[in-house]
């Protein structure tokens, strides 16, 4: 299965990465004059200070985000602003079964790469299109990234604490969530073609994916007439049937633990785990903890602040109290036993950054294994193979194209 992959950023690249992980020959198409944004974002191995704004003069092969998104893919460079470049792309499409893109609407059309043209080049082609708003409707021409999608779909509105404005999300969450919908759509189309021999055009809207994720809240609004911004909602750290119920500070910088107590038995177990402090004997906490949660939270925080999150979690869980460490990336990558057992993160070698940790696929099969055969391609690394072995050009022609800036 060969994929001519125009995708960039996350929502497209993660979608085609899943195909590459399980055997598809994904050929990532790039332009040396306009590098993929993850190649320009300075998230570098062993340099925690590198995270920040776009690098004006990046090493295109060093970026951690790009390398994480594009493992197991081939990579070529090509300038679609040239007539020869567009000819080469059409030859590659003719030799491919799937074409994917997540540009702003209209880009592929300006290059003449409509679904109709792709069918002329490859009659059974699957054309996977991924955008913020879809390719039809009054808003189809709007450009978007994950934070825009999150706001428009309503996800940003429902985040935060009671009585405060929405807090939003700390990352482009919907880039990754929509990517898995894109992967599923591509695989459904491939399965259908295996059965019928027919290709198709796929149009995935990330905004609509976000709306789907808000399903329970839409049901609440439709059936009960309750909006998501009302007094006492979102619930934040409070729960109508539990007290204490919150996230409490721990020893260390920005370290936290979640604790939830739902009944008197759990409350007594918590008090015992804390060493029966005098304040816990206050009858208000035995009979009416919900009405005194602010004061209760202050006492709990005083106790947790001198302990690590995992220390609190293990101590309380041993006594039957619901508790969990709020883990940061380092915890997940280095110490979480479940994540380690599942092999969620694994190591690959890279010719520029050396051995590095990457995120794996969240899917396990009994008879199919993820094939991590290479790290992300260096810029233009596979030009010779693709242009000579797949498209049939001579070595001299490839050198001429490189000298002319076409590839």
């Amino acid at each position: 299965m060969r994929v001519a992959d125009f995708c960039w950023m996350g929502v497209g690249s993660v979608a085609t990465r899943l195909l590459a992980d399980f055997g598809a020959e994904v050929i990532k198409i790039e332009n040396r004059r306009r590098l993929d944004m993850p190649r320009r974002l300075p998230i570098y191995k062993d340099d925690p200070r590198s995270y920040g704004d776009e690098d004006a003069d990046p090493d295109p092969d060093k970026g951690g985000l790009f390398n994480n998104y594009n493992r197991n893919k081939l990579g070529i460079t090509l300038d679609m602003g040239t007539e020869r470049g567009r000819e080469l792309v059409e030859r590659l499409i003719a030799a491919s079964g799937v074409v994917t893109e997540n540009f702003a609407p209209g880009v592929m059309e300006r290059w003449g790469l409509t679904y109709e043209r792709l069918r002329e080049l490859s009659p059974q082609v699957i054309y996977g299109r991924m955008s913020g708003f879809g390719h039809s409707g009054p808003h189809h021409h709007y450009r978007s990234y994950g934070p825009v999608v999150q706001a428009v779909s309503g996800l940003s509105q429902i985040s935060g604490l009671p009585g405060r404005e929405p807090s939003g999300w700390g990352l482009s969450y919907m880039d990754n969530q929509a990517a898995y919908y894109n992967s599923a759509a591509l695989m459904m189309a491939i399965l259908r073609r295996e059965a019928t021999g027919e290709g198709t055009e796929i149009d995935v809207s990330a905004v609509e994916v976000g709306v789907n994720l808000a399903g329970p809240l839409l049901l609440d609004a439709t059936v009960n007439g309750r909006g998501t911004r009302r007094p006492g909602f979102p619930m934040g750290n409070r729960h109508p049937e539990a007290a204490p119920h919150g996230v409490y500070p721990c020893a260390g910088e920005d370290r936290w633990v979640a604790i939830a107590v739902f009944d008197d038995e759990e409350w007594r177990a918590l008090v015992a785990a804390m060493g029966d402090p005098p304040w816990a004997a206050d009858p208000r906490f035995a009979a009416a903890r919900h009405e005194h949660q602010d004061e209760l939270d202050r006492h709990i925080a005083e106790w947790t602040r001198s302990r690590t999150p995992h220390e609190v979690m293990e101590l309380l869980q041993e006594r039957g109290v619901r508790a969990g460490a709020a883990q940061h990336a380092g915890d997940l990558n280095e110490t979480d036993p479940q994540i380690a057992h599942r092999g969620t993160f694994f190591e690959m070698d890279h010719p520029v950054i050396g051995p590095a940790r990457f995120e794996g696929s969240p899917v396990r099969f009994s008879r199919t294994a993820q094939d991590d055969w290479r790290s992300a391609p260096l810029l233009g690394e596979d030009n010779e193979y693709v242009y000579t072995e797949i498209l049939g050009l001579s070595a001299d022609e490839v050198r001429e194209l490189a000298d002319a800036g076409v590839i």
Side-chain angles (χ1 to χ4, degrees):
M1 180 65 62
R2 179 176 295 138
V3 182
D5 183 21
F6 288 90
C7 292
W8 70 309
M9 287 300 293
V11 69
S13 293
V14 173
T16 54
R17 183 184 71 182
L18 191 66
L19 302 184
D21 284 347
F22 291 96
E25 184 184 63
V26 177
I27 302 174
K28 184 174 178 62
I29 303 165
E30 300 184 79
N31 188 337
R32 291 184 185 273
R33 293 189 174 90
R34 190 171 185 269
L35 296 176
D36 191 351
M37 179 68 79
R39 286 195 183 273
R40 309 196 302 265
L41 288 175
I43 303 176
Y44 299 139
K45 177 186 172 185
D46 298 328
D47 184 5
R49 296 172 299 174
S50 66
Y51 183 81
D53 295 331
E54 178 183 340
D55 193 336
D57 185 27
D59 180 337
D61 299 319
K62 191 178 177 183
L65 194 60
F66 180 88
N67 289 322
N68 190 45
Y69 283 165
N70 293 289
R71 62 164 181 265
N72 300 326
K73 301 179 184 180
L74 303 177
I76 64 171
T77 51
L78 184 147
D79 187 353
M80 289 294 290
T82 64
E83 182 177 352
R84 184 71 172 124
R86 291 191 294 273
E87 291 175 359
L88 290 170
V89 155
E90 291 200 345
R91 290 176 63 175
L92 179 59
I93 291 171
S96 302
V98 178
V99 178
T100 56
E101 64 92 8
N102 68 310
F103 293 126
V107 171
M108 296 294 278
E109 285 77 6
R110 288 196 293 273
W111 292 334
L113 298 178
T114 62
Y115 178 50
E116 290 71 26
R117 177 56 181 157
L118 265 59
R119 290 184 66 188
E120 294 174 358
L121 299 168
S122 180
Q124 295 179 313
V125 71
I126 293 169
Y127 191 17
R129 315 200 68 182
M130 316 165 197
S131 63
F133 292 82
H135 282 79
S136 62
H139 296 164
H140 80 276
H141 60 287
Y142 288 175
R143 300 180 182 182
S144 66
Y145 288 98
V148 174
V149 171
Q150 286 144 211
V152 175
S153 63
L155 294 177
S156 296
Q157 174 77 352
I158 65 176
S159 65
L161 297 172
R164 301 184 186 180
E165 63 184 36
S167 62
W169 297 65
L171 76 165
S172 292
Y173 176 79
M174 282 308 303
D175 279 349
N176 290 278
Q177 290 304 306
Y180 286 111
Y181 277 72
N182 291 324
S183 297
L186 288 167
M187 289 185 283
M188 289 166 63
I190 292 169
L191 181 62
R192 178 179 180 273
R193 183 172 62 189
E194 292 295 313
T196 67
E198 298 178 354
T200 190
E201 182 178 17
I202 302 168
D203 182 7
V204 177
S205 160
V207 167
E208 292 170 38
V209 174
V211 171
N212 272 268
L213 296 178
L217 294 167
L218 293 173
L219 181 64
D220 193 21
T222 302
V223 176
N224 301 317
R226 296 189 299 208
T228 57
R229 304 304 301 189
R230 60 183 189 267
F233 193 92
M235 297 302 299
N237 292 333
R238 298 283 168 83
H239 189 283
E241 299 176 11
H245 186 287
V247 181
Y248 302 94
C250 291
E253 182 180 355
D254 196 26
R255 302 311 312 264
W256 303 81
V257 66
I259 301 173
V261 172
F262 279 83
D263 56 37
D264 290 339
E265 182 179 354
E266 293 177 2
W267 166 247
R268 288 190 292 271
L270 173 63
V271 171
M274 293 188 295
D276 294 303
W279 61 262
D282 189 324
R284 294 178 302 168
F285 299 140
R289 289 190 299 277
H290 282 87
E291 285 73 29
H292 303 282
Q293 287 193 69
D294 289 343
E295 186 175 353
L296 180 59
D297 282 347
R298 284 193 292 270
H299 286 301
I300 301 294
E302 289 175 4
W303 178 74
T304 59
R305 193 172 279 114
S306 62
R307 295 163 175 80
T308 69
H310 289 85
E311 180 184 355
V312 175
M313 175 184 74
E314 292 165 6
L315 175 62
L316 296 186
Q317 286 185 1
E318 287 173 357
R319 294 175 176 267
V321 179
R322 304 163 216 241
Q327 299 195 124
H328 56 37
D331 294 324
L332 291 173
N333 189 24
E334 298 166 8
T335 63
D336 188 290
Q338 178 67 20
I339 295 298
H341 173 81
R342 297 280 293 178
T344 303
F345 298 102
F346 65 97
E347 190 169 281
M348 296 180 74
D349 198 9
H350 186 277
V352 173
I353 67 175
R357 298 270 282 177
F358 295 88
E359 64 178 10
S361 167
V363 181
R364 300 290 180 275
F365 298 97
S366 61
R367 291 185 295 174
T368 304
Q370 180 172 321
D371 183 15
D372 296 312
W373 65 280
R374 74 178 294 182
S375 55
L378 306 180
L379 186 63
E381 180 175 359
D382 300 294
N383 281 353
E384 182 177 353
Y385 166 73
V386 172
Y387 290 125
T388 59
E389 297 295 324
I390 296 179
L391 300 190
L393 302 182
S394 69
D396 288 340
E397 287 178 297
V398 173
R399 282 193 292 272
E400 291 172 3
L401 290 169
D403 291 340
V406 175
I407 65 174

